[in-house]
Amino acid sequence: MPDFKIQEAKLLFKKIHSAPKSYDLKINEDGITGSDEKISFRLKREGERFNFEIVIDGLTFTNTTGDWNNAVIMLTSTIRKIEKENENLKIELAREKLRKYLSEEN
């Protein structure tokens, strides 16, 4: 696998973290995955550490030099926040439907 330079990896992580809703972020047993229309990535557990892997044009680039454990913690927190926002939106939409239903005459 080609090496993914730390400067590039950090820039990509900042881009992902600044616009997390642009990526299809998922948490799984191996770490975190995400993608948009141009790239896919994963922060993959390797023992006690995480590797940052990027797939673009069918090539996988890997960076193992950074402390990606903190990145995983940050993205996990962001994913949970997005999930909570989505759940709150569903609840609010259901409440609106209930109010409308209750206000209808039989």
Side-chain angles (χ1 to χ4, degrees):
M1 279 185 252
D3 194 36
F4 189 39
K5 296 178 183 172
I6 188 66
Q7 298 88 347
E8 295 169 330
K10 286 181 179 179
L11 284 173
L12 179 59
F13 178 76
K14 285 180 184 177
K15 186 172 184 168
I16 293 165
H17 193 258
S18 68
K21 292 182 180 181
S22 300
Y23 300 87
D24 183 24
L25 297 174
K26 292 184 175 44
I27 300 172
N28 59 44
E29 63 278 351
D30 292 330
I32 295 175
T33 61
S35 63
D36 66 6
E37 64 279 351
K38 297 178 183 174
I39 67 155
S40 64
F41 73 89
R42 67 181 170 179
L43 285 156
K44 182 174 121 180
R45 183 179 296 278
E46 295 287 332
E48 295 296 314
R49 298 176 48 104
F50 284 89
N51 294 338
F52 194 10
E53 295 181 353
I54 309 306
V55 178
I56 188 165
D57 293 338
L59 294 172
T60 301
F61 296 85
T62 303
N63 181 278
T64 59
T65 60
D67 180 13
W68 299 115
N69 293 351
N70 290 336
V72 169
I73 292 167
M74 290 172 68
L75 278 183
T76 300
S77 174
T78 300
I79 291 167
R80 299 287 187 234
K81 181 180 172 187
I82 291 170
E83 289 172 346
K84 183 81 168 164
E85 288 172 0
N86 290 340
E87 185 64 25
N88 287 341
L89 181 59
K90 286 180 187 177
I91 291 169
E92 192 55 38
L93 290 172
R95 282 187 177 142
E96 285 297 318
K97 286 181 181 179
L98 177 60
R99 285 185 203 115
K100 184 177 177 182
Y101 178 79
L102 294 173
S103 68
E104 292 175 355
E105 292 188 31
N106 292 335

